[in-house]
């Protein structure tokens, strides 16, 4: 049996390794020059591969739960270990390669695929998939490059593109793992959803997730580069809660980033408001009554030194600007530092995609389409996205393994 996998990301390579391990002939079609480009930068290059904590998924959360019941953490971890990647545990259930290098995971999967004789067609973009009597026919375009040049320094300069040529592939099964629309610099620009939509698969509109919140510059003036620990709530204009998180927030010139803020980006829209409880940043979370805490400090300090030692000068200045000379208003600003939100950074800065192909039209035990036998999908192309911490990559690998090992 010939299994063709469209997309050489984490889901695609997991599917390829699983299918080849069952004795199938496997071809991976990848639009980049090399597979696993996005995996190489995951976890800021440290490789947050999975999470052993309770799954945190959005979109079709019920489908994600069914997938992870069939391919739980233990089996995904075993896949990495079998590929030669020892794992180490960090805070909040996050699992990394012992090397703390995402490149180690990339090299391991490439080696495993090569050992199983997986064929990889780089620089090739699939433009259509069609049913045939015996399986599927895929039309693709391969970019042709001039030979690479070795410079005097020893560095290899890739050859420039010189043209394109048509490619036709025939397979018994097709697994679509083309990713979403986030991080287009890594080859996932959202242009491949049509490969599944053309067969009648429904699609939820996509939007950026795990990216910075954008605010008016005036609202965060003077705070660029400041990191704070905070409890965050994102609310609509009427005060209704959209989402909440806790952890690090990083101020930028025109927004708020950091893991805690990025967790809320999937819920954000123009006109909502970010409420930042800065008591963690100011008192270390030891004081809930910040007004009483300020009053005690005011007994031995003047206004200029009231926050000295507790916060950075930049954050102290911003808090005082909001409160004037009033201790009551200063306490309120610390407990609820509000920032209007105008949107999010966009797909160029997003780590994952919210939305995508509706998973309900696929079998969570095999990832096979309920509409087209022999057609499968896995990974970020589906309408499932996870919280920061390894959940997205774990879902991608889990679905890839299910599709690749399907009977």
């Amino acid at each position: 049996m010939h299994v063709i996998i469209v997309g050489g990301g984490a889901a695609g390579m997991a599917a390829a390794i699983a299918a080849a391990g069952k004795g199938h002939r496997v071809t991976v079609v990848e639009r980049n020059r090399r597979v696993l480009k996005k995996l190489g930068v995951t976890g800021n290059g440290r490789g947050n591969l999975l999470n052993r904590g309770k799954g945190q998924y959005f979109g079709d959360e019920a489908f994600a739960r069914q997938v992870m019941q069939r391919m739980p953490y233990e089996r995904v971890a075993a896949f990495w270990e079998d590929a030669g990647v020892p794992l180490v545990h960090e805070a909040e259930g996050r699992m990394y390669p012992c090397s703390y290098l995402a490149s180690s995971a990339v090299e391991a999967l490439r080696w495993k695929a090569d050992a199983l004789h997986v064929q990889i067609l780089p620089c090739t973009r699939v433009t259509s998939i069609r049913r045939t009597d015996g399986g599927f026919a895929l039309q693709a375009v391969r970019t042709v490059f001039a030979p690479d040049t070795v410079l005097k320094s020893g560095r290899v300069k890739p050859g420039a593109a010189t043209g394109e040529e048509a490619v036709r592939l025939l397979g018994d099964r097709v697994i679509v793992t083309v990713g979403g629309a986030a991080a287009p610099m890594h080859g996932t620009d959202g242009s491949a959803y049509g490969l599944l939509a053309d067969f009648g698969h429904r699609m939820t509109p996509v939007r950026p997730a795990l990216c910075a919140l954008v605010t008016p510059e005036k609202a965060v003036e003077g705070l660029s580069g400041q990191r704070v620990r905070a409890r965050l709530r994102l609310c609509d204009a009427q005060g209704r809660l959209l989402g909440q998180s806790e952890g690090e927030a990083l101020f930028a010139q025109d927004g708020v980033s950091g893991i805690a803020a990025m967790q809320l980006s999937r819920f954000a829209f123009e006109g909502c408001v970010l409420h930042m409880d800065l008591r963690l940043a100011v008192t270390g979370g030891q004081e809930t009554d910040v007004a009483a805490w300020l009053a005690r400090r005011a007994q031995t300090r003047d206004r200029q030194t009231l926050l000295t030692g507790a916060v950075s000068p930049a954050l102290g200045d911003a808090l005082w600007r909001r409160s004037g000379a009033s201790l009551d208003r200063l306490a309120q600003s610390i407990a609820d530092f509000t920032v209007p939100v105008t949107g999010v950074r966009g797909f160029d800065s997003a780590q994952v995609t919210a939305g995508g192909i509706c998973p309900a039209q696929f079998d969570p035990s095999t990832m096979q389409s309920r509409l087209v036998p022999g057609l499968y999908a896995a990974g970020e192309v589906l309408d499932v996205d996870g919280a920061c911490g390894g959940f997205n990559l774990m879902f991608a690998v889990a679905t890839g393994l299910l599709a690749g090992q399907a009977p």
Side-chain angles (χ1 to χ4, degrees):
M1 177 177 291
H2 185 198
V3 179
I4 299 177
I5 297 168
V6 185
M13 294 304 288
I17 290 168
K22 290 178 67 68
H24 300 315
R25 174 189 167 204
V26 178
T27 301
V28 176
V29 186
E30 167 57 41
R31 65 183 298 176
N32 291 316
R33 289 193 176 200
R34 302 189 75 184
V35 296
L36 299 168
K37 186 176 180 182
K38 192 173 180 181
L39 176 61
V41 298
T42 190
N44 290 322
R46 297 171 73 232
N48 184 189
L49 301 180
L50 65 166
N51 195 300
R52 66 181 188 181
K54 183 180 179 181
Q56 300 177 46
Y57 291 101
F58 304 90
D60 195 333
E61 181 184 359
F63 185 88
R65 286 199 304 270
Q66 293 178 70
V67 165
M68 299 315 301
Q69 287 171 359
R70 292 165 171 82
M71 186 61 65
Y73 161 81
E74 291 79 10
R75 292 183 63 186
V76 179
F79 166 77
W80 287 111
E81 295 276 0
D82 182 64
V85 183
L87 300 173
V88 62
H89 169 242
E90 278 205 355
E92 299 177 330
R94 302 179 186 199
M95 303 297 293
Y96 294 81
C98 284
S99 66
Y100 285 102
L101 292 172
S103 58
S104 296
V106 171
E107 292 163 2
L109 294 192
R110 286 175 178 163
W111 172 84
K112 186 72 173 179
D114 186 61
L116 290 168
H117 307 292
V118 171
Q119 181 185 18
I120 296 175
L121 300 182
C123 308
T124 305
R125 176 174 54 88
V126 174
T127 56
S128 70
I129 304 172
R130 182 175 56 84
R131 287 293 302 273
T132 65
D133 291 339
F136 296 88
L138 288 74
Q139 298 295 331
V141 175
R142 186 175 78 89
T143 303
V144 180
F145 292 89
D148 295 343
T149 303
V150 180
L151 304 178
K152 290 182 178 180
S153 63
R155 186 172 64 87
V156 177
K157 179 181 178 182
T162 59
E164 293 182 336
E165 62 182 19
V167 177
R168 185 171 185 265
L169 299 167
L170 298 175
D172 302 292
R173 291 182 182 175
V174 175
I175 305 175
V176 178
T177 62
V178 292
M185 73 289 292
H186 298 309
T188 51
D189 58 7
S191 61
Y193 287 113
L195 297 177
L196 292 170
D198 287 346
F199 284 101
H201 290 283
R202 300 189 304 272
M203 180 172 170
T204 302
V206 297
R207 60 193 186 282
L210 295 185
C211 57
L213 305 175
V214 178
T215 71
E217 291 190 14
K218 187 70 174 177
V220 291
E221 185 178 6
L223 289 172
S224 181
Q226 298 296 305
R227 295 179 184 272
V228 296
R229 288 179 59 232
R231 297 184 180 94
L232 307 183
R233 293 182 301 116
L234 189 69
C235 299
D236 64 14
Q238 288 71 45
R240 291 186 290 263
L241 182 67
L242 301 172
Q244 57 188 347
S245 64
E246 180 178 324
E248 182 185 88
L250 171 64
F251 288 98
Q253 185 175 348
D254 62 345
V256 184
S257 184
I259 291 176
M262 292 167 64
Q263 300 278 39
L264 301 177
S265 58
R266 60 176 52 82
F267 310 115
F269 54 85
E270 184 175 5
C272 60
V273 178
L274 179 65
H275 296 264
M276 306 181 69
D277 182 346
L278 299 178
R279 285 175 290 185
L280 285 174
V282 176
T283 74
Q286 300 175 16
E287 300 284 344
T288 55
D289 187 348
V290 70
W293 179 81
L294 288 170
R296 290 196 301 272
R297 290 175 72 92
Q299 293 175 5
T300 57
R301 296 167 178 256
D302 58 20
R303 177 186 183 280
Q304 285 72 29
T305 62
L306 187 61
L307 295 177
T308 300
V311 299
S312 68
L315 180 56
D317 289 345
L319 289 168
W320 275 116
R321 283 197 303 271
R322 293 204 173 198
S323 60
S326 168
L327 284 184
D328 288 341
R329 289 179 60 190
L330 178 61
Q332 182 179 356
S333 294
I334 293 172
D336 188 16
F337 191 91
T338 59
V339 182
V341 175
T342 59
V344 298
R345 277 277 189 266
F347 284 119
D348 285 348
S349 301
Q351 293 185 15
V352 297
T353 307
I357 298 295
C358 296
Q361 294 178 312
F362 293 83
D363 182 345
S365 63
T366 63
M367 304 309 300
Q368 182 173 218
S369 167
R370 299 186 190 277
L371 307 180
V372 186
L375 180 66
Y376 301 73
E380 195 177 338
V381 70
L382 298 168
D383 180 16
V384 171
D385 64 293
C388 192
F391 294 106
N392 287 288
L393 187 51
M394 185 162 66
F395 178 79
V397 171
T399 51
L401 292 175
L402 288 170
Q405 70 183 25

